[in-house]
């Protein structure tokens, strides 16, 4: 199947899901506003801390805010366009994955399109605004190449986020119960990347830079954007981290899919 065909099918699946969701307007606004409120409260929390302590290990308020917002921005994009990864547990436990297997369409594409997280729109909007304000309030020497690299880092950050979500939720192929907390545990580890990883012990730095490379979503892009000395060159590993994350997640998903046994009496 060609890439153009996959994009076409994704668009058709996505539009159908969106039509179903927009039937419930109140739910749409409640989910979007609740996600936005969460981000705003987090921003206020950071502001209160930095109002008392203006510098934490060489990191200023807007620099840490950038990292904080990048986590929510990528989460928003992931929820809005790839929420289906969080439906994987239900698809496996209820046997609904059977109909995906019968279609002449890649299963992983159908999983991506099996849901839309409207709360992601709130995360996307507020996260985007906070990232923009962080860049505006910082003394950055702009150039065309720097703008292009920042866009590249955002793309790699989204790929990493979606890949980790897919890999974490693929645990449903082995942990077959409704209370599977493994994906949520993996998701919550992203909270560590809302702040400079230099604040944490070496073991945690290694984990969120390699096993679960959340640091390439926020910390390493921030070191490049704000020119943080010894760390500022690590952003160049972001495309490799994104490619490795995507390959590993797809491999885990395909292996789990080979163990899928549907449901029965």
């Amino acid at each position: 199947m060609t890439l153009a065909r996959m994009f076409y099918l994704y668009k058709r699946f996505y539009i159908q899901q969106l039509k179903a969701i927009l039937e419930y307007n109140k739910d749409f606004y409640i989910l979007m506003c609740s996600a936005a409120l969460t981000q705003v409260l987090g921003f206020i929390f950071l502001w209160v801390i930095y109002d008392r302590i203006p510098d934490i290990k060489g990191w200023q308020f807007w620099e840490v805010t950038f990292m904080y917002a990048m986590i929510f921005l990528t989460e928003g994009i992931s929820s809005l366009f790839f929420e289906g990864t969080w439906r994987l547990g239900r698809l496996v436990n209820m046997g609904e994955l059977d109909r995906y297997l019968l279609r002449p369409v890649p299963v992983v594409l159908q999983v991506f399109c099996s849901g839309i997280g409207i709360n992601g729109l709130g995360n996307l909007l507020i996260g985007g605004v906070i990232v923009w304000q962080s860049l505006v309030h910082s003394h950055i020497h702009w150039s065309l190449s720097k703008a292009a690299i920042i866009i590249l880092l955002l793309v790699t950050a989204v790929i990493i986020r979606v890949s980790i979500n897919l890999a974490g939720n693929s645990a449903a192929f082995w942990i077959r119960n409704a209370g599977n907390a493994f994906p949520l545990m993996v998701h919550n580890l992203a909270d560590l990347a809302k702040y400079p990883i230099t604040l944490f012990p070496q073991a945690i730095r290694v984990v969120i830079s390699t096993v679960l490379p959340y640091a390439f979503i926020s910390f390493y892009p921030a070191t490049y954007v704000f020119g943080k000395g010894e760390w500022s060159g690590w952003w160049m590993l972001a495309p490799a981290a994104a490619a490795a994350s995507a390959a590993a997640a797809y491999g885990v998903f395909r292996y789990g899919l080979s163990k899928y046994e549907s449901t029965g009496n």
Side-chain angles (χ1 to χ4, degrees), residues 247-260:
Y250 185 68
V252 171
F253 175 78
R254 291 295 302 177
Y255 183 69
L257 194 61
S258 69
K259 303 296 182 182
Y260 176 64

Side-chain angles (χ1 to χ4, degrees), residues 156 159-160 163 237-249:
T156 59
I159 293 173
I160 290 170
S163 298
L237 295 175
S245 297

Side-chain angles (χ1 to χ4, degrees), residues 8-164:
Y8 171 76
L9 290 172
Y10 174 85
K11 182 181 71 173
R12 292 297 299 271
F13 283 134
Y14 189 86
I15 290 173
Q16 294 306 313
Q17 288 285 340
L18 189 59
K19 287 179 180 178
I21 288 176
L22 291 179
E23 289 292 325
Y24 304 95
N25 293 331
K26 291 182 179 178
D27 289 348
F28 174 86
Y29 292 115
I30 290 172
L31 287 171
M32 186 178 68
C33 292
S34 62
L37 180 61
T38 300
Q39 282 209 52
V40 171
L41 290 175
F43 178 82
I44 293 173
F45 172 74
L46 283 176
W47 178 79
V48 169
I49 290 178
Y50 272 90
D51 187 53
R52 303 290 187 272
I53 310 172
D55 185 293
I56 298 178
K57 277 204 168 185
W59 289 87
Q60 308 297 321
F61 171 68
W62 286 110
E63 295 168 349
V64 175
T65 299
F66 175 87
M67 286 186 285
Y68 184 89
M70 280 293 287
I71 293 295
F72 277 107
L73 177 61
T74 55
E75 181 181 344
I77 296 173
S78 176
S79 295
L80 193 58
F81 298 104
F82 305 98
E83 176 70 9
T85 55
W86 289 98
R87 310 291 172 88
L88 189 55
R90 174 182 172 81
L91 295 175
V92 171
N93 290 328
M94 301 296 290
E96 296 177 14
L97 204 60
D98 293 0
R99 55 193 171 94
Y100 292 179
L101 293 170
L102 296 174
R103 296 171 179 168
V105 180
V107 179
V108 69
L109 178 63
Q110 297 181 72
V111 169
F112 283 154
C113 302
S114 62
I116 298 176
I118 293 301
N119 60 303
L121 185 58
N123 285 330
L124 176 60
L125 292 176
I126 302 299
V129 169
I130 295 177
V131 166
W132 172 61
Q133 285 296 307
S134 299
L135 297 176
V136 168
H137 285 84
S138 303
H139 302 291
I140 299 174
H141 300 288
W142 287 100
S143 65
L144 187 60
S145 61
K146 187 153 195 169
I149 290 173
I150 290 176
I151 293 173
L152 172 65
L153 291 173
L154 177 59
V155 172
T156 59
V158 172
I159 293 173
I160 290 170
R161 186 79 183 201
V162 174
S163 298
I164 293 175

Side-chain angles (χ1 to χ4, degrees), residues 220-235:
Y220 293 120
T223 59
Y224 168 74
V225 172
F226 302 111
K228 291 296 183 178
E230 60 177 313
W231 298 97
S232 60
W234 283 70
W235 70 268

